[in-house]
Amino acid sequence: MGAAIESSSEKIATRAAYGKTLLELGKENKDIVVFDADLSGSTQTKHFAKEFPERFFNMGIAEANMVSTAAGLAKAGKIPFVSSFAMFATGRAWEQVRNSVAHNHANVKICATHSGLTVGEDGASHQIIEDIAIMKAIPSMTVIVPADSVETEQVIRAVAEYNGPVYVRLGRAAVPVIYDDNYKFEIGKADVLREGTDATIVATGVMVSRALEAAQIASSQGKSIEVINVASIKPLDTETIVKSANNTKKVITAEEHNIWGGLGDSVASAILENASEKVSFKRLGVNDLFGQSGKAEELLEHYELTAERLLSLV
Amino acid sequence: MSNTVQTNLNLVKEKALEIRINSLKMIHAAKSGHPGGSLSIADLLSSLYFGGHMKYNPQNPQAEDRDILVVSKGHSSPAVYSTLGLAGFFNIEETINFRKLGSPFQGHIDSIRVPGVEISTGSLGHGLSNANGFAIAAKLDNNKKKVFAILSDGELQEGQSWEAFMAAAHFKLDNLVAIIDRNRIQLDGWTEETMALDSLEDKLKAFNWNTLVIDGHNPEEIDQALNKAYELAAANNMPVAIIANTVKGKGVSFMEDQVSWHGVAPKDEDLAKALEELK
């Protein structure tokens, strides 16, 4: 169980934690090389670029070439971190991720920022809500969505250690810090942030803090809600999720992603295949709609990715 | 890049013939595969592996001082597997199981299953990017190894190829030689009718590459072009493209320049006729 700092009002973007951790890793491991596609200021790889210009490659606005080039470096023994906006790193370059990277078991880390609706004002062309679906469908691909800055640092360190292709989904907007420094992330493990008996919210990314908020409000109304943070979407911690589902018999998933193909579908499959109890199940996500321009916070309200909406489902 | 390589041209010719013969036997046994593009690169592969241009170690395929070859046209797997078998990476007899369930010899070249294959390809347009990655890694390590890439001409219709040409020049990858198998035929017909590539040399020059144009079936010209490529790259710190004018299906009269032999297996009588010609 993670150490949740529920009273914290501090907000940090996961991309900021990524940039900071990448810089630290660069000092520790000379095999780490970083690629960006003309977005190093936004993705925060600029910090690594400034310190290690010889190991940083700005590939220009050419994501397909960037991903396949990284695969070549990985086959030569390097550990490439590849960054762009999630829309382009996973969408534009999907086929390169599939064939150049995953099919070659190439040790490439696709760490993409600006995922989901919380990209904000740029609007639908940049708000990818399909990336979890298209990345997890690739055989052998690991898919991780950190919930806050502390977890992001842990995730980036864990994926650098792990030998194999990984997709890490990061965000633009500042999000509440949930964890303290004692937290330890592990690939394939979910984290029960709060125990409860009446329902389980299984959340990922920006929705984790909202799930905690919902659980807190529910508690004042006499309802006991369990909250599980699933950062490791693939591999999925089926054991932890199914155990909770069997206990509470009611599961709601929450994600800043299309309801089709995201965390919800993975959790639904895990429960259908493994739960011994009859479990009621609901998904909260983007309801098969494209996003639009607006502030991150406003968009989450507009598309009902809120604690209030979660409360209405428990 | 290193200096001029001394080449035994007779050995190169002999091995090229063996690559052609084994490739056709593989495709015949599999009843599927790509004879045309395998025959068109047989002389290029033979020069690289048996003309002394590539440093490799079949006992230690991942040896740090080895040179790298990326074959972007992964469908020419019969020629690649035949070459690696002849070079001693595995028993060439095993390649007869090409394209069969459980065989390491997948339809398109596979780096996980076959020693000596540096990176799996098959989806066209990836290979030059992959080769750029190897070339960048070698530079980071101050490793003097050479990186070669064999590209098809048809795959240059993929936009990614040009992203990669642009990047290789931008990063001054003077340890990279790309050889283009300019056989002028793709699956649906002539390249110039399907989606014109000419003038290919002008395009590459405009992308700041050194260029050489040769007969891709003449071992002496291939040998000289490779030696010239190392010189050019060292002189201006830019990558080199060798446009190798080739004939699809080269060596078998009824397959030469025939679109229909891009991806069709020879039947028993076709194989017998082809082997008779190649003897």
Side-chain angles (χ1 to χ4, degrees), chain A residues 65 68 78 95-96 100 104, chain B residues 111 120 123 126 129 141 160:
Chain A
N65 179 51
S68 291
K78 301 295 175 192
E95 199 266 337
Q96 285 72 18
S100 267
N104 272 297
Chain B
S111 68
S120 308
S123 173
H126 289 214
S129 305
D141 292 337
Q160 186 182 346

Side-chain angles (χ1 to χ4, degrees), chain A residues 31 33 35 54-59 61-73 75-76 78 92 95-97 99-100 103-105, chain B residues 62 66 109-113 118-121 123-126 128-134 136-138 140-141 160 163-164 166-167 170-171:
Chain A
D31 285 335
V33 293
F35 287 86
E54 71 288 353
R55 283 191 271 146
F56 174 80
F57 299 91
N58 195 330
M59 302 302 284
I61 308 163
E63 297 79 12
N65 179 51
M66 172 169 72
V67 170
S68 291
T69 304
L73 271 123
K75 294 298 261 186
K78 301 295 175 192
R92 181 63 166 263
E95 199 266 337
Q96 285 72 18
V97 175
N99 278 322
S100 267
H103 184 231
N104 272 297
H105 301 191
Chain B
Q62 294 292 308
R66 75 192 190 279
I109 59 169
D110 191 303
S111 68
I112 305 300
R113 293 175 169 88
E118 297 286 354
I119 192 157
S120 308
T121 57
S123 173
L124 295 172
H126 289 214
L128 186 59
S129 305
N130 299 152
N132 287 352
F134 281 103
I136 290 170
L140 284 173
D141 292 337
Q160 186 182 346
E163 294 180 5
M166 188 162 46
H170 179 79
F171 293 118

Side-chain angles (χ1 to χ4, degrees), chain A residues 40-52:
Chain A
S40 63
S42 305
T43 63
Q44 302 287 300
T45 61
K46 65 178 177 186
H47 304 296
F48 183 100
K50 198 175 164 211
E51 186 83 14
F52 305 108

Side-chain angles (χ1 to χ4, degrees), chain A residues 24 117 143 152 160 177 181-182 236 258 284 312:
Chain A
E24 288 166 11
L117 298 172
V143 179
T152 300
V177 178
D181 292 338
N182 297 318
L236 187 71
N258 199 342
L284 178 62
S312 75

Side-chain angles (χ1 to χ4, degrees), chain A:
Chain A
M1 180 156 171
I5 310 170
E6 293 186 17
S7 58
S8 168
S9 58
E10 196 188 7
K11 284 186 168 188
I12 303 172
T14 53
R15 64 176 165 140
Y18 167 57
K20 180 173 154 278
T21 310
L22 198 55
L23 175 61
E24 288 166 11
L25 281 173
K27 292 173 186 162
E28 296 163 23
N29 189 340
K30 285 200 170 69
D31 285 335
I32 289 178
V33 293
V34 176
F35 287 86
D36 208 304
D38 195 38
L39 289 167
S40 63
S42 305
T43 63
Q44 302 287 300
T45 61
K46 65 178 177 186
H47 304 296
F48 183 100
K50 198 175 164 211
E51 186 83 14
F52 305 108
E54 71 288 353
R55 283 191 271 146
F56 174 80
F57 299 91
N58 195 330
M59 302 302 284
I61 308 163
E63 297 79 12
N65 179 51
M66 172 169 72
V67 170
S68 291
T69 304
L73 271 123
K75 294 298 261 186
K78 301 295 175 192
I79 308 172
F81 278 71
V82 175
S83 291
S84 176
F85 287 179
M87 180 68 245
F88 314 120
T90 69
R92 181 63 166 263
W94 184 86
E95 199 266 337
Q96 285 72 18
V97 175
R98 197 261 188 194
N99 278 322
S100 267
V101 175
H103 184 231
N104 272 297
H105 301 191
N107 193 21
V108 175
K109 318 303 169 185
I110 316 236
C111 297
T113 64
H114 294 63
S115 61
L117 298 172
T118 50
V119 169
E121 292 83 345
D122 278 351
S125 62
H126 286 51
Q127 293 164 340
I128 188 164
I129 51 166
E130 305 92 341
D131 51 331
I132 294 174
I134 61 178
M135 286 292 109
K136 81 176 182 186
I138 298 174
S140 83
M141 197 69 175
T142 293
V143 179
I144 315 279
V145 187
D148 76 349
S149 59
V150 176
E151 189 170 44
T152 300
E153 179 173 349
Q154 291 275 322
V155 164
I156 298 305
R157 289 188 168 277
V159 304
E161 286 289 314
Y162 169 80
N163 184 8
V166 180
Y167 171 54
V168 181
R169 182 190 216 224
L170 301 164
R172 171 184 180 234
V175 291
V177 178
I178 296 166
Y179 287 108
D180 67 23
D181 292 338
N182 297 318
Y183 174 66
K184 184 86 186 115
F185 166 81
E186 223 180 300
I187 294 172
K189 293 282 178 217
D191 184 43
V192 181
L193 275 166
R194 182 183 175 119
E195 289 180 344
T197 51
D198 295 329
T200 305
I201 302 176
V202 181
T204 194
V206 303
M207 292 308 291
V208 176
S209 65
R210 283 157 192 260
L212 283 171
E213 203 185 317
Q216 212 160 0
I217 301 168
S219 157
S220 67
Q221 298 167 351
K223 267 190 187 169
S224 166
I225 309 296
E226 184 145 303
V227 176
I228 303 178
N229 169 25
V230 176
S232 181
I233 290 187
K234 188 185 168 195
L236 187 71
D237 186 351
T238 301
E239 195 185 334
T240 298
I241 292 165
V242 170
K243 190 177 156 207
S244 180
N246 280 335
N247 285 339
T248 64
K249 300 180 184 61
K250 185 168 195 178
V251 172
I252 301 103
T253 59
E255 60 192 314
E256 186 197 7
H257 188 276
N258 199 342
I259 53 164
W260 302 113
L263 170 72
D265 282 2
S266 287
V267 170
S269 304
I271 292 171
L272 267 171
E273 286 178 348
N274 299 286
S276 53
E277 302 290 329
K278 190 177 172 198
V279 178
S280 96
F281 181 82
K282 289 233 157 35
R283 290 173 303 177
L284 178 62
V286 182
N287 201 11
D288 209 27
L289 295 164
F290 286 107
Q292 59 182 300
S293 291
K295 291 198 176 74
E297 231 12 78
E298 291 171 345
L299 287 161
L300 292 176
E301 292 286 329
H302 181 84
Y303 290 91
E304 295 193 299
L305 300 178
T306 59
E308 291 70 33
R309 181 79 182 116
L310 276 170
L311 267 180
S312 75
L313 295 171
V314 300

Side-chain angles (χ1 to χ4, degrees), chain A residues 72-73 75-77, chain B residues 1 48-49 53-56 61-71 116-119 127 130-138 143-150 175-179:
Chain A
L73 271 123
K75 294 298 261 186
Chain B
M1 284 210 190
L48 287 171
Y49 280 85
H53 288 281
M54 288 235 336
K55 191 187 278 183
Y56 57 90
Q62 294 292 308
E64 276 196 17
D65 64 344
R66 75 192 190 279
D67 293 326
I68 302 287
L69 171 66
V70 174
V71 181
V117 175
E118 297 286 354
I119 192 157
N130 299 152
N132 287 352
F134 281 103
I136 290 170
N143 189 320
K144 297 295 170 203
K145 69 169 65 181
K146 298 189 207 90
V147 178
F148 298 95
I150 295 182
N175 51 352
L176 174 67
V177 178
I179 307 171

